[in-house]
Every structure is written in C-alpha cells, then in structure tokens.
Amino acid sequence: MGKRQVPDELMFLVNRRAEQKTTDAPMTGKVCIVSGSTSGVGLAAVRRLARGGAHIVMLCRNYEKAEGVRRELKAQYAVPVDIVVVDFSNLESVRTAAGTLLAACPRIDVLINSVGLHSTGRFITQAGFELVFCVNHLGPFLLTYLLLDRMRQSAPARIIQVNSEGHRFGGLDLDDLDWRRRRYKGLKGYGASKIAQLLTVWEFADRLQGSGVTINAMHPGDVRTNIGNNNGPLYRWWLHNVTWHMLKDPVISGEALYYLAAAPELAEVSGRFFHLTIDEKPAVHALDREMGRRVWNLSLQMTGLGPGS
Ligand SMILES: NC(=O)c1ccc[n+]([C@@H]2O[C@H](COP(=O)([O-])OP(=O)(O)OC[C@H]3O[C@@H](n4cnc5c(N)ncnc54)[C@H](OP(=O)(O)O)[C@@H]3O)[C@@H](O)[C@H]2O)c1
C-alpha cells in the first residue's frame, strides 16, 4: 500500500519538521535592507547576513535599540551597518524612510520586510487604518513599491516578505478592512494582513517579470521572538512561560532568510511562498487572483500611490 498523500492545506505540518536548505554563497558587499531588525526574525536575519559579508541597512523604529544591534554586528564582522528610523504605523514615515534609502543607497540588492505585530485588540492609526493591517501589510507594501525602480536598476535583486502560516486563519474582508462592522479578533486581524500581503506578492511578481528582480514570501518558522509582547502583562507571561517552550530559536529564521536571499538556485524563482526554505502551496483564499487585483488596487489607494499600475 502506498503512503497516504498529505493534503496541501496540511503540508505546513510536514514542512515544519523537514530538513531545511542552507547555502554558503557569499553576500559580500550586497546591500541588504531589513525592516524589523531590532528583534526576533529580522534580528536573526541581519546577524546571518552580516556573517555572509553583506552591507546591512536596518530599518527600525527605535534608534537606541538599533544602535545596540549595530554595535553587536560591528564587534564581530567587518561590514557596514546603517540605520534608518521608520514607524510602519505611519505611512508618511515610510515615505520619508524610502526617500532616505533612495538618497543613501545607489543600489539595493535585497529587501527583507520582517516588520510585524500581532494585536489582540483593535487599534486605529492616526490616518484611520487598523494598526496590524497597516504595519504588516500597507507599510511594507508602500516601502517595496517605492524602492522598486532602484531594485530594477540593481538587478539581479531579491525582495522577501516575511509572511506567516497565519494567513491560513482567514479574516480578510475588503469591505471591512478596519473592522468597523465585525468584532475584532487578533488572529483574524493578523490573518487578514498576511493574506493581503501574499496576494500582493503575486501581483508584484507579475509586474517584475523579466526585470531580474524576484519577490517571494516566507513563513519564518514557529520561533521564540517578542511578537505579541504589546498585548499586556498576562499575554506576556503566557508567551514567555508557556508558548516559548514550544517554539524554536529564531536562528532558523535567519538561516532561511539567508538561503532565500543568497542561494544561486533561487536566482530566478519569484512569486512563491516558502515554509522557511521549502516551497509550499498557500491557502486557497490567498491564491484568488481576482481578489488579489482588488487588494492591489486598494493598497495603492490606501497608501496614496493610486491609481498606479
Ligand atoms: N515569531 C514567529 O513564530 C512568527 C511566525 C510567523 C510569522 N512571523 C512574522 O515574522 C515577522 C517578525 O516578527 P517577530 O516574530 O520577529 O516579532 P518581534 O520579535 O516582535 O519583531 C518585530 C519587529 O518589528 C518591529 N516593529 C513592530 N512594529 C513596528 C512599527 N510600527 N514600526 C517599525 N518597526 C516595528 C519591532 O520593533 P521593536 O524592536 O522596536 O519592537 C521588531 O523589530 C512578522 O512579520 C511576523 O508576522 C513570526
């Protein structure tokens, strides 16, 4: 009797236990911009990229914290480490940061968006967006869009959106993106932001075809980071005393992001979702291209880029 086939929707359970791919391909001098690099997945990524010789550009909201990471990296590796301050809950701040990056970086080889949060409560930003949707999707979308031409000029170049298996939670309702009509649920709000991001990855990939710039999304593993720390003392206690024991060291996320950024065999791979380093089929609702076109247009409008193309 043959082995029973695991359904696509459950392959993440297989992939999380699978042996992951690695590469020793050097990244010497490659300009790698990493958002959310003061903590967790993004921090693990800049550590690994610095070890690979990359020129690190940290995009962070807390300058002091970023300065601490810069000191740590500089003490171990002879690589340039720059810091640009940005608040992804404020799209004006994202625009300013993109301007700073364009002025400072004549070339951009890799963009990794690892910024993100999970909130159990519903918060609305000053501009009127639901906070998680803004930080996890709109901010990184705007930044990516604004850096595209520079990345095209720098080709070959790679964009990696740190997404999540949490996209499987569902939650995206294009008629209620700010959760005025529905009761907000943290996991659904998180899911909505990650579905929107995935749908726009396929759209970006189409537009980048033939440019030498690739874009992929990935799940960084189930790892011990500070995500959720913003949800109050009880949540934090649970996170650190219970959940963390079931999670892995984010060093695996850094290794996976390095692989996706550097592996020669991925030079032309674009528009895919990876569980760490394994190509995986996302949930069906994240593959709905008609929905994707609507999310693309809405994202352009909401970030002030619209109508665009
Ligand atoms: N941990 C997991 O198991 C897991 C699983 C699936 C997906 N992910 C994804 O991995 C990514 C990184 O999360 P993480 O687990 O590494 O969490 P984390 O340790 O909390 O790191 C999040 C990073 O985002 C930054 N950030 C948050 N809000 C920001 C804002 N408004 N403006 C600028 N920076 C902001 C944080 O800055 P501060 O250091 O200043 O707080 C931090 O550097 C997220 O996209 C998350 O959805 C994580």
Side-chain angles (χ1 to χ4, degrees):
M1 221 164 75
K3 256 193 185 170
R4 197 184 282 170
Q5 185 81 27
V6 178
D8 286 342
E9 311 83 67
L10 295 180
M11 273 308 291
F12 70 94
L13 295 172
V14 175
N15 292 338
R16 71 196 294 270
R17 302 168 75 105
E19 191 180 337
Q20 298 298 327
K21 298 167 194 162
T22 58
T23 184
D24 284 330
M27 290 292 278
T28 318
K30 301 272 186 209
V31 177
C32 299
I33 299 176
V34 186
S35 70
S37 42
T38 43
S39 177
V41 172
L43 175 57
V46 291
R47 283 178 174 151
R48 182 62 186 90
L49 286 162
R51 177 148 72 86
H55 174 160
I56 307 291
V57 184
M58 301 179 63
L59 263 185
C60 302
R61 63 175 162 182
N62 181 330
Y63 185 83
E64 273 72 49
K65 215 169 159 183
E67 194 53 61
V69 176
R70 168 153 61 188
R71 271 197 300 277
E72 178 204 307
L73 297 179
K74 297 287 284 180
Q76 294 182 66
Y77 309 107
V79 296
V81 181
D82 300 320
I83 298 170
V84 173
V85 174
V86 59
D87 178 356
F88 278 87
S89 69
N90 175 346
L91 297 183
E92 274 318 302
S93 170
V94 176
R95 281 182 178 279
T96 306
T100 306
L101 289 168
L102 291 174
C105 307
R107 57 176 301 108
I108 301 172
D109 298 289
V110 174
L111 168 64
I112 296 176
N113 275 305
S114 188
V115 59
L117 91 158
H118 163 245
S119 172
T120 52
R122 172 181 177 270
F123 297 92
I124 297 297
T125 68
Q126 271 200 334
F129 304 123
E130 189 274 312
L131 178 67
V132 172
F133 195 76
C134 185
V135 173
N136 292 6
H137 170 56
L138 292 177
F141 173 86
L142 176 60
L143 180 76
T144 304
Y145 195 98
L146 293 175
L147 300 184
L148 276 191
D149 281 345
R150 182 61 47 85
M151 296 197 75
R152 279 194 181 96
Q153 292 155 13
S154 314
R158 302 187 191 188
I159 302 166
I160 304 162
Q161 307 291 38
V162 178
N163 198 267
S164 174
E165 291 293 352
H167 79 271
R168 298 184 191 277
F169 301 151
L172 186 66
D173 177 348
L174 298 192
D175 297 320
D176 190 24
L177 285 178
D178 51 9
W179 298 79
R180 278 173 216 279
R181 299 190 198 151
R182 296 169 292 164
R183 185 152 160 262
Y184 187 80
K185 295 200 183 80
L187 292 182
K188 293 277 184 190
Y190 184 76
S193 68
K194 297 295 184 182
I195 298 167
Q197 182 178 61
L198 273 186
L199 289 169
T200 56
V201 166
W202 326 140
E203 294 295 317
F204 273 124
D206 281 357
R207 286 159 180 80
L208 287 168
Q209 245 178 39
S211 70
V213 183
T214 62
I215 181 165
N216 291 295
M218 63 95 74
H219 170 77
D222 307 314
V223 288
R224 274 189 302 279
T225 68
N226 289 313
I227 196 156
N229 256 357
N230 47 298
N231 291 317
L234 196 62
Y235 188 102
R236 263 198 301 280
W237 183 90
W238 183 261
L239 182 70
H240 294 181
N241 293 288
V242 182
T243 317
W244 268 22
H245 295 294
M246 296 179 265
L247 301 176
K248 296 185 182 150
D249 189 316
V251 85
I252 64 166
S253 322
E255 201 58 61
L257 281 163
Y258 191 82
Y259 174 79
L260 298 177
E265 61 269 33
L266 295 185
E268 285 171 22
V269 175
S270 192
R272 311 297 304 175
F273 176 69
F274 291 88
H275 186 112
L276 288 161
T277 58
I278 299 174
D279 196 326
E280 184 180 283
K281 190 173 176 196
V284 174
H285 56 242
L287 291 168
D288 179 341
R289 298 302 308 269
E290 180 47 40
M291 183 81 149
R293 275 183 281 281
R294 290 179 63 204
V295 173
W296 177 265
N297 288 330
L298 270 173
S299 304
L300 287 176
Q301 263 174 39
M302 292 170 87
T303 53
L305 291 165
S309 64

